[in-house]
Amino acid sequence: MTGGPSVRFGSVITVTDERVVETARAMEAQGWDILATGEHVSFNLPIANAFVSLAAAAAVTTKLRLMSSVALLPLYPAGLAAKMAAALDNVSGGRFLFGIGVGGENPREFDACGVPVAERGSRTDESLEVIRRLWSGEDVSHEGRHYAFEKVRIAPAPVQRPGPPIWVAGRKDAAMRRAARHGDGWMPYMYSPEMLAESLAKVAAWRERPEPIEGGAYLWSCVHEDTATAVRYAEESLGKTYRQDFSSMVDRYLVVGDPDHAVRRTLDYIDAGATTVIFGAAAPRAYAERHVEMLATEVVPRIRAELARRQVAHA
């Protein structure tokens, strides 16, 4: 899985906490660019904490970039989030990608953290402003709606300067504006390729930072030799995860089918502007590791080969 044009491929780990080390080692051996993990405080299924899992993965890998996909930023005090991200960047030797989202689909976890769910957007925006300043390693004072402090310094500062890349996730215009204002990358989920292209155009038009934003795609996926089995696995898995019917969404928003289909469908997202692709496993736990292996051996290498072919053809 090495070589070819600069599209990075990652996979969300399919375990919670008990096998993170083993999984991280396997993913690095498979040649993935990015190991990613999401998080919740409380969810419909057991789920990890992104900072803890990625720190464990950092200890046993040397090449993998490590992405929170995503950290629920409004559940963390801004200073604590800045410190944890800086610490993870140091532990990993500068390999952390700070993916953030606002959450909200499970209001009870907001109650448990003492955060009004209606404030998740404004807290996230203010936190992103504060975090970037705290990563400077200098004394920072702030007076805002949610946070107020004087002369706070976080040391050591992150290895990456001016800090770990911030990837903003979401689906709606508010998230796109957040990415345009604060992000280094925009990574929507449950999007079609057409929606991704449209959203990247919006983000570019709203951009408030001088650097162009990178496009990403978080793709729920299930690869199986038998397409019908892949579809069934995906519908059952995501239905259990989110407690809703996904039968009408598989063809539109997911990468589900045999390897040939997975290659073609993922290329659609790359053609729409994604230079970072993160695959989430929409599969039963008993099959999830096999799914990731198939992506690593039968899907991603073929995508890289096709991108390399195109690069040569246009040289």
Side-chain angles (χ1 to χ4, degrees):
M1 289 173 56
T2 58
S6 57
V7 175
R8 299 186 297 186
F9 295 91
S11 177
V12 178
I13 57 175
T14 59
V15 295
T16 51
D17 298 314
E18 72 281 2
R19 294 182 59 223
V20 171
V21 166
E22 178 183 345
T23 300
R25 286 174 171 153
M27 286 183 60
E28 186 157 83
Q30 288 170 344
W32 290 99
D33 300 310
I34 300 170
L35 178 152
T37 185
E39 68 171 13
H40 281 280
V41 172
S42 176
F43 198 53
N44 300 327
L45 300 171
I47 193 168
N49 173 270
F51 290 105
V52 173
S53 292
L54 294 177
V60 297
T61 58
T62 59
K63 298 176 182 178
L64 281 171
R65 300 300 298 269
L66 306 167
M67 174 182 276
S68 53
S69 61
V70 294
L72 298 183
L73 190 54
L75 297 183
Y76 295 88
L80 178 61
K83 177 64 177 180
M84 294 178 71
L88 182 50
D89 200 50
N90 275 276
V91 165
S92 66
R95 291 185 283 142
F96 181 43
L97 304 171
F98 193 22
I100 65 94
V102 301
E105 63 267 38
N106 186 9
R108 291 180 179 177
E109 65 184 340
F110 281 76
D111 294 340
C113 295
V115 175
V117 69
E119 294 180 359
R120 65 192 188 280
S122 61
R123 284 179 179 267
T124 297
D125 290 336
E126 188 172 340
S127 289
L128 288 171
E129 176 187 345
V130 168
I131 287 167
R132 282 200 181 274
R133 294 172 61 204
L134 287 170
W135 283 345
S136 69
E138 303 297 327
D139 287 348
V140 174
S141 299
H142 176 78
E143 183 72 34
R145 175 183 173 187
H146 301 291
Y147 304 107
F149 52 85
E150 292 186 4
K151 295 183 178 179
V152 172
R153 176 180 299 200
I154 286 182
V159 172
Q160 299 177 86
R161 308 304 297 153
I166 294 175
W167 282 82
V168 177
R171 288 177 53 82
K172 299 181 180 178
D173 281 4
M176 295 179 212
R177 291 188 182 277
R178 185 171 298 117
R181 187 180 311 117
H182 299 290
D184 299 291
W186 161 242
M187 182 172 290
Y189 66 100
M190 291 293 180
Y191 259 32
S192 66
E194 296 76 17
M195 293 168 70
L196 174 61
E198 291 170 4
S199 69
L200 283 169
K202 283 186 176 182
V203 172
W206 293 333
R207 187 66 166 157
E208 297 182 19
R209 306 181 68 212
E211 309 87 356
I213 197 160
E214 185 175 349
Y218 185 105
L219 303 178
W220 283 113
S221 57
C222 185
V223 181
H224 194 284
E225 293 88 347
D226 179 65
T227 294
T229 300
V231 170
R232 176 168 58 84
Y233 280 172
E235 291 178 359
E236 292 176 355
S237 175
L238 290 181
K240 183 178 180 180
T241 299
Y242 290 104
R243 297 181 180 175
Q244 66 182 83
D245 183 5
F246 274 81
S247 59
S248 64
M249 304 181 200
V250 168
D251 288 339
R252 187 176 184 189
Y253 299 137
L254 279 63
V255 174
V256 175
D258 63 23
D260 289 341
H261 174 80
V263 169
R264 292 192 302 270
R265 188 60 170 167
T266 305
L267 282 168
D268 289 342
Y269 285 93
I270 293 170
D271 291 340
T275 56
T276 294
V277 175
I278 304 295
F279 293 103
R285 173 171 286 201
Y287 183 71
E289 289 187 20
R290 172 58 181 157
H291 156 74
V292 172
E293 181 182 359
M294 289 190 69
L295 284 169
T297 60
E298 301 184 38
V299 176
V300 173
R302 290 172 56 188
I303 295 172
R304 289 197 188 279
E306 170 59 18
L307 295 176
R309 185 197 66 77
R310 294 180 183 181
Q311 192 176 48
V312 170
H314 288 90

